[in-house]
Amino acid sequence: MRWKVSPRSLSSAFPVMRHSLALLLMASAAQAEPRFEDRSEQLGLSHEYNGDWEHFVGGGVAIFDCNGDALPEVFVAGGAGPSVFFENHSSSSVELKKTTPDALRITGATGAYPIDLDNDNQLDLVVLRVGENLIFRGRPDCEFEPFSPAGFDGGTAWTTAFSAVWEAGQTRPTLAFGNYVDRDDPDGPFGTCDHNTLFRPAGDSYQKFKVEPGFCALSILFSDWGRQGRADLRISNDRHYYVKGGQEQLWAMETPPRLYDSGDGWASHALWGMGIASRDITGDGRPEIMLTSMGDQRFQALVSDTEPTFSDVDYDKGTTAHRPYTGDDGRPSTGWHAQFGDVDNDGRDDLFIAKGNVEQMPGSAMQDPNNLLMQSQDGTFQEAGLEAGIASMARSRGAGLVDLNADGRLDLVVVNRRAPLEIYQNITEEAGSWIAVEIAQSRTNRFGIGAWIELRSGDRHWHREVTIGGGHASGSLVPHHFGLGDAQKVEIQVTWPDQTKSQWLSFDANQYIKISRN
């Protein structure tokens, strides 16, 4: 087995990075205070996610590089209005330009996720809709064309969630669509949740399955929760509509899939589930789970080596984020998109949560700022949204925490309902070291979905699962960003989806690298 490694340094492959970043990175990461600059007004971005009750939820964004310049583009759902697409022309500052191709000027979209579905090493786009879900094949230079794989049916449901994974031995990905209320049920909307849909490869085609019971899914994620070598399907559901009898779900991806229950160690719990974020926070090599909700947010840790037994540790971690932290609205918060990322590059993942009232829910806060929860050395999280400059009071929905201008700091895109799109550039000074890792396979599953990336430096370890899905109607497929604190060198090992491990490879910090499996 051979491994091809392509370092892409700041000076050679990314001329946009030739500024004072190197000096900033020399300072101690422990002193960095997160700061963001709102670039929305300067960029003249006026896009809003709009629509009536079918667009109370959704409002997602997909972020991915479609022209190979290492600057990710941005596709934003429009709800009842048309979706938009922004090409990335960033240098030292984030610069996005609206260049929506005709194929992507679609209405009814709730969210989107990038994926290389046809294994051509060019990212495609799955668009979720109220109505028929659509797939667009990516072409060079950010061109797109409609694409319908054999056996795929976009359906007519109200789709609000998506995830994908390459199951063992398959050359095509398994696609899972999470559906919300059944709009055709005359007894609705309460208690009329639709079933979810699974497309599994069958030779050169797809076979469609109902995943039921459905409890009004708003986020789904394929994840190898126990490092067992198989990704199972987690579904977060909105009890506002399933009313009774429903709960959160975890499906064992057997043939056929089956629900985990108490006999497997699965604990039944219900919440107004909106979004899922997954990340190994403790360094034990297994992912913790963040679940957003109306009211308190759930942070869960696995407490068994062999069973899907999760314990709520949100109060211990300080991640409940259950009420607004600024302003005078003391009613419970409503969380939507959640995403982990190391904002100040101190080596510890932080947590962004998009917040906003569903519409006019009287029991929930109307002035509900987005959260930026910074992880401390002891593993607890502290609110920094106001000081960081991201405490928007708009009704936020989907989001993306990614490096838009390739300077090694994570920027922020926030989609708002009936309010303009927000673009925040990370201007944190004295941030720590970082590295961005892209992995690649040949022939199939080109972006290594289902792999694990492990980094080590001294006694510190980082573990990252490569997934598609989760969040709230929002996904990004970009190089995997790791904050490294004061580390100047790291070693990296990739556990590929078939559980084959690469050798440990050593790299200097503060660069983009690509590890290809030959």
Side-chain angles (χ1 to χ4, degrees), residues 81-105:
S83 302
V84 296
F85 179 83
F86 299 96
E87 282 194 21
N88 194 336
H89 296 270
S90 300
S91 55
S92 58
S93 295
V94 172
E95 299 288 345
L96 302 178
K97 296 182 180 180
K98 186 185 294 186
T99 59
T100 311
D102 290 341
L104 299 184
R105 297 179 189 274

Side-chain angles (χ1 to χ4, degrees), residues 25-26 101 109 124 135 169 190 192 201 235 267 316 319 322 324 344 365 399 425 440 462 498-499:
L25 294 175
M26 295 173 62
D124 311 307
I135 299 175
F190 298 102
T192 58
I235 306 181
D316 294 338
T319 56
H322 56 290
D344 56 356
Q425 181 174 338
W462 297 262
D498 64 0
Q499 304 304 298

Side-chain angles (χ1 to χ4, degrees), residues 2 17 37 58 79 101 113 115 127 225 234 243 245 276 313 338 354 387-388 406 445 474 479:
R2 295 179 294 124
M17 300 180 188
E37 177 185 42
Y113 290 81
I115 180 175
V127 179
W225 53 269
R234 183 154 191 160
V243 185
I276 301 173
V313 294
E387 296 79 6
N445 191 7
S474 302

Side-chain angles (χ1 to χ4, degrees), residues 19-312:
H19 47 75
S20 59
L21 176 65
L23 295 177
L24 297 177
L25 294 175
M26 295 173 62
S28 169
Q31 298 174 359
E33 296 181 357
R35 293 288 185 271
F36 286 83
E37 177 185 42
D38 188 349
R39 294 276 298 149
S40 308
E41 185 174 347
Q42 297 96 313
L43 294 174
L45 305 180
S46 58
H47 178 74
E48 299 181 2
Y49 179 76
N50 287 314
D52 294 327
W53 81 289
E54 290 171 329
H55 296 291
F56 284 3
V57 299
V61 55
I63 305 177
F64 59 108
D65 179 13
C66 59
N67 56 17
D69 65 355
L71 297 172
E73 276 66 49
V74 178
F75 171 88
V76 190
S83 302
V84 296
F85 179 83
F86 299 96
E87 282 194 21
N88 194 336
H89 296 270
S90 300
S91 55
S92 58
S93 295
V94 172
E95 299 288 345
L96 302 178
K97 296 182 180 180
K98 186 185 294 186
T99 59
T100 311
D102 290 341
L104 299 184
R105 297 179 189 274
I106 53 178
T107 59
T110 58
Y113 290 81
I115 180 175
D116 182 8
L117 197 144
D118 55 357
N119 296 310
D120 67 351
N121 207 34
Q122 185 78 37
L123 286 172
D124 311 307
L125 190 63
V126 174
V127 179
L128 314 182
R129 298 178 69 240
V130 180
E132 183 184 9
N133 298 315
L134 301 174
I135 299 175
F136 294 91
R137 175 184 276 134
R139 292 302 192 190
D141 299 322
C142 297
E143 296 180 353
F144 297 88
E145 63 183 23
F147 176 44
S148 183
F152 175 75
D153 170 14
T156 60
W158 178 358
T159 302
T160 46
F162 176 77
S163 190
V165 73
W166 273 256
E167 296 188 81
Q170 297 294 342
T171 59
R172 293 169 175 257
T174 294
L175 310 176
F177 293 84
N179 300 319
Y180 203 45
V181 173
D182 183 353
R183 296 170 296 144
D184 297 326
D185 192 321
D187 296 326
F190 298 102
T192 58
C193 294
D194 208 344
H195 65 269
N196 302 310
T197 308
L198 188 71
F199 291 90
R200 263 183 152 168
D204 294 330
S205 183
Y206 274 110
Q207 187 173 0
K208 181 179 179 180
F209 299 91
K210 288 184 178 180
V211 181
E212 50 189 354
F215 297 127
C216 290
L218 282 178
S219 187
I220 60 178
L221 178 66
F222 282 114
S223 173
D224 187 359
W225 53 269
R227 299 297 297 269
Q228 58 188 352
R230 184 192 71 201
D232 292 329
L233 182 62
R234 183 154 191 160
I235 306 181
S236 191
N237 299 304
D238 183 4
R239 70 183 298 178
H240 182 72
Y241 285 114
Y242 66 68
V243 185
K244 60 182 180 180
Q247 59 172 296
E248 297 290 281
Q249 295 170 305
L250 183 65
W251 289 85
M253 289 302 294
E254 300 170 354
T255 304
R258 68 172 182 87
L259 269 174
Y260 284 106
D261 58 23
S262 59
D264 301 298
W266 176 254
S268 173
H269 58 282
L271 66 152
W272 292 267
M274 308 290 196
I276 301 173
S278 176
R279 183 64 57 89
D280 175 25
I281 296 298
T282 62
D284 66 355
R286 299 181 300 186
E288 280 69 50
I289 302 294
M290 186 70 194
L291 303 171
T292 57
S293 176
M294 286 197 297
D296 59 318
Q297 320 304 309
R298 300 280 187 93
F299 190 88
Q300 296 188 328
L302 192 66
V303 296
S304 170
D305 291 333
T306 58
E307 298 178 339
T309 306
F310 293 84
S311 175
D312 290 342

